[in-house]
Amino acid sequence: MTFNEVEVEILGLIEKDSRISMETIAKMVNKSEQEVEAIIRKFEELNVIVEYNSIINWRKVDGHEGVTAMIDVKVAPKRGVGFDAIAERIYRYPEVKSVYLMSGAYDLSVVIEGKSMSEVGNFVSDKLSTLDSVLSTTTHFVLKKYKHDGTIFDHGEEDKRIVVSP
């Protein structure tokens, strides 16, 4: 699909902040609010705007930290459907947050979330590894999230020490 410069600019603004007001967008792209609303409605109908999301720093919510794992999956693709069929089987699990077809040593990258490392381990051993097309998996646990989708989580404390020079 081809869109004009203003439409692409609107997409960029919404991607950066999905809570931005129609009024603000209209001022930034020099269009009326009604024109902006019509453009956004078109994007939603065409499934260009798929969903509006919030990024939550769960580490700051006691008792809700959870565990995120990135799993590299090597699969044997099926004739006629390639990787699509196995990717669809995997992304239908509620624990799965993302599935990507990758280049390199592994075919799929799967991001899952669980309440504990044990829960993630059970998902990998009981559900993911047992699928017919799955040949092998490698699981990586996220220890700390510094930046996600362009959002920096912890800016950290500035070094407030006084510089001492000889």
Side-chain angles (χ1 to χ4, degrees):
M1 290 179 234
T2 305
F3 300 107
N4 66 41
E5 195 175 314
V6 170
E7 291 172 327
V8 172
E9 186 176 357
I10 290 171
L11 285 173
L13 292 168
I14 292 171
E15 182 179 42
K16 187 171 180 149
D17 179 8
S18 64
R19 296 183 65 195
I20 190 169
S21 70
M22 295 292 171
E23 177 185 1
T24 303
I25 294 172
K27 287 178 184 173
M28 293 176 83
V29 298
N30 200 24
K31 296 282 182 188
S32 71
E33 284 185 55
Q34 292 76 22
E35 289 173 301
V36 170
E37 286 175 11
I39 290 168
I40 291 173
R41 200 172 321 109
K42 175 178 85 170
F43 288 148
E44 291 169 344
E45 290 167 3
L46 292 172
N47 211 25
V48 172
I49 296 176
V50 179
E51 192 172 307
Y52 298 92
N53 288 309
S54 297
I55 298 173
I56 310 297
N57 188 351
W58 287 107
R59 289 182 61 147
K60 295 195 176 219
V61 181
D62 291 339
H64 291 86
E65 296 88 1
V67 175
T68 302
M70 296 174 173
I71 306 165
D72 297 326
V73 184
K74 190 157 200 58
V75 300
K78 302 251 183 201
R79 186 180 305 274
V81 292
F83 295 102
D84 295 346
I86 188 66
E88 183 176 346
R89 285 191 66 192
I90 293 170
Y91 72 60
R92 292 198 179 278
Y93 288 111
E95 301 92 335
V96 174
K97 300 303 170 197
S98 305
V99 177
Y100 305 99
L101 179 61
M102 305 297 288
S103 63
Y106 289 89
D107 304 306
L108 298 174
S109 180
V110 179
V111 179
I112 72 163
E113 292 179 359
K115 293 179 182 159
S116 66
M117 290 177 82
S118 177
E119 186 177 288
V120 171
N122 288 337
F123 171 81
V124 173
S125 64
D126 298 344
K127 296 178 181 177
L128 186 60
S129 296
T130 60
L131 295 174
D132 290 339
S133 297
V134 173
L135 302 175
S136 67
T137 63
T138 301
T139 303
H140 310 275
F141 288 96
V142 174
L143 302 177
K144 183 175 181 181
K145 216 182 265 190
Y146 293 99
K147 186 175 183 179
H148 179 79
D149 285 345
T151 301
I152 298 171
F153 278 74
D154 291 318
H155 292 285
E157 292 291 318
E158 288 184 33
D159 191 353
K160 296 180 180 166
R161 295 178 290 176
I162 298 173
V163 176
V164 179
S165 59

